[in-house]
Amino acid sequence: MNKPFNTFKKISKILFRYDEDARLNLFETFPFIKRFFLNRKNLLYVRSFGDIVFTILIIIGIFGPQDADKNVVLFISWGIWWTSIVLSWFFAGRLWCGFCPFPGLGRIFQHFGLTLNLDVPPFFRKYCAYISVFLLALIIYVEAVTDMKTWPAGTAYLLLSILLGATASAILFKGQAWCRHMCPMGKIIGSASTLSISEFRPDRTKCKTCRTFSCKKGKDGIPGCPVYLGAYNVRNNLDCLVCGRCVGLCESDSPQINIRNPFVELIINKGRHLTCAFIIPFLMGSQIARFVQHQDWYRKVEALFSGSNLIAFSVLLALGFAIFIILARIGSKLFGLTEDEVFGRFSPMIPVIVPLAFTGELVYRLEYFLTNIGDFVPTFGRQFGFALDNLFFSIDSKLIDFICIAALCIGGFACSYVLYLFNSGDFQGILKKKNYISLHFIVFAILSGYIIAFSF
Ligand code: SF4
Ligand code: SF4
Ligand code: SF4
């Protein structure tokens, strides 16, 4: 009878008291989760449902009315779908990738042997991270300058381009090369998942004696890990898609999904991954530019550039990116240690600002969701000829502002907490007191910048 309460207590303890080693194995505690992954039909159903929904969205987006008030594709894509993915980063890590419909068409091609089945060349592996960061930047840029959230066909083209990228790469390469190396969404989801309260990991004691490595190679005609990792190679949340294929392949019951403290991975990695060192400052700079774009005084900025939204936004974006790159570098220098013989180079300021980067993205999406949810059913009515306008409702803009600013403040406090953890752990005795205070000041300045850009 006390079991649910004990589980709740254990989870709360893990989430709210930092302990690098504390974990709760969800496969053991809630066996139905493991059963879900073991029965591959479950994922097939979810993905097939996703395939159907996304096909309909693409068709309606391209061929449906192009008036934003008469096409539900916009709210479903930007309000429901993308906001849910952003929210899922914090709880389920990269789980969306396990259900994602984009690689579906490529998997069908591969199933029928319509693929060159090539290995991904080493140079490609090396430079693809930059390409995917560039593609991510391009998506954010195009979304803002074309006002894609009011352009149904543009939204559909974006979905179509990700689908085409995943399919073309499945025709050329083995497995899901797109997902491992190129997908811009995958990169942002992977980076954000470092802050997740859950992780997909192997039980390393079981992997030590493994001779088959079926999780990576596959067995009995069932292909192995689609992103060439295998459970035994999963050390962070960046690359594993949480597709669960290896759960059924492993003979030793090693893969598991754990609950962990959300700061563990940030503290352990210390900003070691180069892509994060670019994605995070870019994302934060773009958020400031995107928040400002919605303010009345943005018209004055536009007027400075002959009324051009494209130039004004580009300048703000470049400025924001440069400021966050500089702040990340200054911050990392203040730590007094950015290289280690064993660990290599790292940027400790990146994990400090990660919570605000992803809360900022959540706030940007949440504001759109809360502002437009009341018009979703009436829009559906206008598109399909039903009189549903009387079902319109609106959420008070003051309440939306309050929710968004509260979320930003939580993100800011989380940044300060990461600093505290560094100062009382890995950087104890290395980080000077005045630098520690300066770092808190930088965090406070960034949070203030976010609140000003969002509210005024
Ligand atoms: S990496 Fe991209 S295409 Fe692949 S599963 Fe994730 S979101 Fe979908
Ligand atoms: S996860 Fe399973 S199959 Fe993979 S290395 Fe570990 S024990 Fe072997
Ligand atoms: S390690 Fe396992 S869960 Fe992760 S992508 Fe590979 S097969 Fe899927």
mmCIF file of all heavy atoms in Angstrom, residues 94 96-97 100 102-103 162 166 176 178-179 183 185-186 189 241, ligand 1:
data_model
loop_
_atom_site.group_PDB
_atom_site.id
_atom_site.type_symbol
_atom_site.label_atom_id
_atom_site.label_comp_id
_atom_site.label_asym_id
_atom_site.label_seq_id
_atom_site.Cartn_x
_atom_site.Cartn_y
_atom_site.Cartn_z
ATOM 1 N N ARG A 94 14.915 12.710 -25.156
ATOM 2 C CA ARG A 94 14.784 12.596 -26.614
ATOM 3 C C ARG A 94 13.694 11.616 -27.035
ATOM 4 O O ARG A 94 13.704 11.115 -28.158
ATOM 5 C CB ARG A 94 16.142 12.144 -27.172
ATOM 6 C CG ARG A 94 16.593 13.064 -28.296
ATOM 7 C CD ARG A 94 17.851 12.674 -28.944
ATOM 8 N NE ARG A 94 17.691 12.857 -30.379
ATOM 9 C CZ ARG A 94 18.684 12.958 -31.224
ATOM 10 N NH1 ARG A 94 19.923 12.879 -30.794
ATOM 11 N NH2 ARG A 94 18.468 13.118 -32.512
ATOM 12 N N TRP A 96 10.778 11.947 -27.996
ATOM 13 C CA TRP A 96 10.056 12.299 -29.231
ATOM 14 C C TRP A 96 10.669 11.592 -30.432
ATOM 15 O O TRP A 96 9.963 11.114 -31.329
ATOM 16 C CB TRP A 96 10.058 13.821 -29.447
ATOM 17 C CG TRP A 96 9.842 14.153 -30.900
ATOM 18 C CD1 TRP A 96 10.792 14.539 -31.800
ATOM 19 C CD2 TRP A 96 8.614 14.055 -31.642
ATOM 20 N NE1 TRP A 96 10.245 14.698 -33.046
ATOM 21 C CE2 TRP A 96 8.896 14.407 -32.984
ATOM 22 C CE3 TRP A 96 7.307 13.708 -31.315
ATOM 23 C CZ2 TRP A 96 7.929 14.418 -33.980
ATOM 24 C CZ3 TRP A 96 6.336 13.714 -32.323
ATOM 25 C CH2 TRP A 96 6.653 14.069 -33.626
ATOM 26 N N CYS A 97 12.020 11.522 -30.461
ATOM 27 C CA CYS A 97 12.688 10.909 -31.610
ATOM 28 C C CYS A 97 12.294 9.433 -31.760
ATOM 29 O O CYS A 97 12.308 8.903 -32.866
ATOM 30 C CB CYS A 97 14.207 11.045 -31.481
ATOM 31 S SG CYS A 97 14.762 12.725 -31.766
ATOM 32 N N CYS A 100 9.045 9.762 -33.614
ATOM 33 C CA CYS A 100 9.019 10.714 -34.736
ATOM 34 C C CYS A 100 8.650 10.050 -36.073
ATOM 35 O O CYS A 100 9.204 9.013 -36.436
ATOM 36 C CB CYS A 100 10.409 11.346 -34.851
ATOM 37 S SG CYS A 100 10.561 12.453 -36.250
ATOM 38 N N PHE A 102 9.156 11.311 -39.122
ATOM 39 C CA PHE A 102 9.966 11.703 -40.286
ATOM 40 C C PHE A 102 10.809 10.569 -40.889
ATOM 41 O O PHE A 102 10.930 10.474 -42.099
ATOM 42 C CB PHE A 102 10.859 12.897 -39.945
ATOM 43 C CG PHE A 102 10.083 14.158 -39.691
ATOM 44 C CD1 PHE A 102 10.232 14.864 -38.508
ATOM 45 C CD2 PHE A 102 9.166 14.633 -40.621
ATOM 46 C CE1 PHE A 102 9.498 16.014 -38.253
ATOM 47 C CE2 PHE A 102 8.430 15.785 -40.387
ATOM 48 C CZ PHE A 102 8.596 16.470 -39.198
ATOM 49 N N PRO A 103 11.433 9.702 -40.068
ATOM 50 C CA PRO A 103 12.234 8.646 -40.721
ATOM 51 C C PRO A 103 11.390 7.513 -41.299
ATOM 52 O O PRO A 103 11.938 6.589 -41.896
ATOM 53 C CB PRO A 103 13.121 8.105 -39.576
ATOM 54 C CG PRO A 103 12.950 9.058 -38.439
ATOM 55 C CD PRO A 103 11.615 9.681 -38.607
ATOM 56 N N ILE A 162 12.152 18.375 -43.862
ATOM 57 C CA ILE A 162 12.760 17.442 -42.885
ATOM 58 C C ILE A 162 12.481 16.003 -43.329
ATOM 59 O O ILE A 162 13.362 15.139 -43.285
ATOM 60 C CB ILE A 162 12.226 17.709 -41.461
ATOM 61 C CG1 ILE A 162 12.581 19.133 -41.027
ATOM 62 C CG2 ILE A 162 12.814 16.711 -40.460
ATOM 63 C CD1 ILE A 162 12.030 19.547 -39.680
ATOM 64 N N ALA A 166 15.380 13.230 -44.278
ATOM 65 C CA ALA A 166 15.468 11.916 -43.621
ATOM 66 C C ALA A 166 15.343 10.800 -44.656
ATOM 67 O O ALA A 166 16.051 9.782 -44.578
ATOM 68 C CB ALA A 166 14.361 11.801 -42.573
ATOM 69 N N GLN A 176 19.581 5.246 -39.661
ATOM 70 C CA GLN A 176 19.035 6.602 -39.667
ATOM 71 C C GLN A 176 20.165 7.628 -39.548
ATOM 72 O O GLN A 176 20.311 8.311 -38.533
ATOM 73 C CB GLN A 176 18.030 6.753 -38.526
ATOM 74 C CG GLN A 176 16.776 5.918 -38.755
ATOM 75 C CD GLN A 176 15.790 5.953 -37.609
ATOM 76 O OE1 GLN A 176 15.151 4.954 -37.320
ATOM 77 N NE2 GLN A 176 15.645 7.068 -36.932
ATOM 78 N N TRP A 178 20.491 10.390 -40.986
ATOM 79 C CA TRP A 178 19.946 11.749 -40.830
ATOM 80 C C TRP A 178 19.790 12.086 -39.337
ATOM 81 O O TRP A 178 20.172 13.155 -38.886
ATOM 82 C CB TRP A 178 18.599 11.825 -41.558
ATOM 83 C CG TRP A 178 17.823 13.077 -41.300
ATOM 84 C CD1 TRP A 178 16.796 13.225 -40.414
ATOM 85 C CD2 TRP A 178 17.998 14.362 -41.926
ATOM 86 N NE1 TRP A 178 16.315 14.511 -40.452
ATOM 87 C CE2 TRP A 178 17.034 15.229 -41.368
ATOM 88 C CE3 TRP A 178 18.872 14.855 -42.897
ATOM 89 C CZ2 TRP A 178 16.915 16.565 -41.750
ATOM 90 C CZ3 TRP A 178 18.753 16.193 -43.284
ATOM 91 C CH2 TRP A 178 17.788 17.025 -42.705
ATOM 92 N N CYS A 179 19.219 11.114 -38.602
ATOM 93 C CA CYS A 179 18.942 11.355 -37.180
ATOM 94 C C CYS A 179 20.242 11.453 -36.376
ATOM 95 O O CYS A 179 20.339 12.220 -35.431
ATOM 96 C CB CYS A 179 18.086 10.235 -36.612
ATOM 97 S SG CYS A 179 16.526 10.069 -37.472
ATOM 98 N N CYS A 183 19.974 15.897 -38.601
ATOM 99 C CA CYS A 183 18.666 16.514 -38.337
ATOM 100 C C CYS A 183 18.800 17.733 -37.407
ATOM 101 O O CYS A 183 19.275 17.599 -36.276
ATOM 102 C CB CYS A 183 17.714 15.502 -37.713
ATOM 103 S SG CYS A 183 16.111 16.230 -37.346
ATOM 104 N N MET A 185 16.443 19.362 -35.948
ATOM 105 C CA MET A 185 15.567 19.180 -34.779
ATOM 106 C C MET A 185 16.207 18.237 -33.782
ATOM 107 O O MET A 185 16.154 18.450 -32.565
ATOM 108 C CB MET A 185 14.246 18.568 -35.231
ATOM 109 C CG MET A 185 13.272 19.562 -35.775
ATOM 110 S SD MET A 185 11.790 18.674 -36.239
ATOM 111 C CE MET A 185 11.252 18.045 -34.673
ATOM 112 N N GLY A 186 16.816 17.173 -34.327
ATOM 113 C CA GLY A 186 17.485 16.201 -33.452
ATOM 114 C C GLY A 186 18.580 16.858 -32.625
ATOM 115 O O GLY A 186 18.775 16.538 -31.457
ATOM 116 N N ILE A 189 16.922 18.922 -29.892
ATOM 117 C CA ILE A 189 16.285 18.035 -28.908
ATOM 118 C C ILE A 189 17.366 17.347 -28.069
ATOM 119 O O ILE A 189 17.260 17.246 -26.845
ATOM 120 C CB ILE A 189 15.383 16.981 -29.606
ATOM 121 C CG1 ILE A 189 14.228 17.670 -30.343
ATOM 122 C CG2 ILE A 189 14.831 15.993 -28.600
ATOM 123 C CD1 ILE A 189 13.373 16.738 -31.192
ATOM 124 N N LEU A 241 18.170 7.843 -29.636
ATOM 125 C CA LEU A 241 16.822 8.280 -30.011
ATOM 126 C C LEU A 241 15.734 7.785 -29.060
ATOM 127 O O LEU A 241 14.573 8.110 -29.238
ATOM 128 C CB LEU A 241 16.476 7.759 -31.415
ATOM 129 C CG LEU A 241 17.417 8.093 -32.565
ATOM 130 C CD1 LEU A 241 16.873 7.501 -33.862
ATOM 131 C CD2 LEU A 241 17.577 9.587 -32.719
HETATM 132 S S1 SF4 B 1 16.542 13.213 -35.256
HETATM 133 FE FE1 SF4 B 1 15.003 14.425 -36.388
HETATM 134 S S2 SF4 B 1 14.084 13.076 -37.924
HETATM 135 FE FE2 SF4 B 1 15.265 11.826 -36.477
HETATM 136 S S3 SF4 B 1 13.775 11.121 -35.027
HETATM 137 FE FE3 SF4 B 1 14.650 13.002 -34.132
HETATM 138 S S4 SF4 B 1 13.386 14.699 -34.871
HETATM 139 FE FE4 SF4 B 1 12.853 12.896 -36.072
#
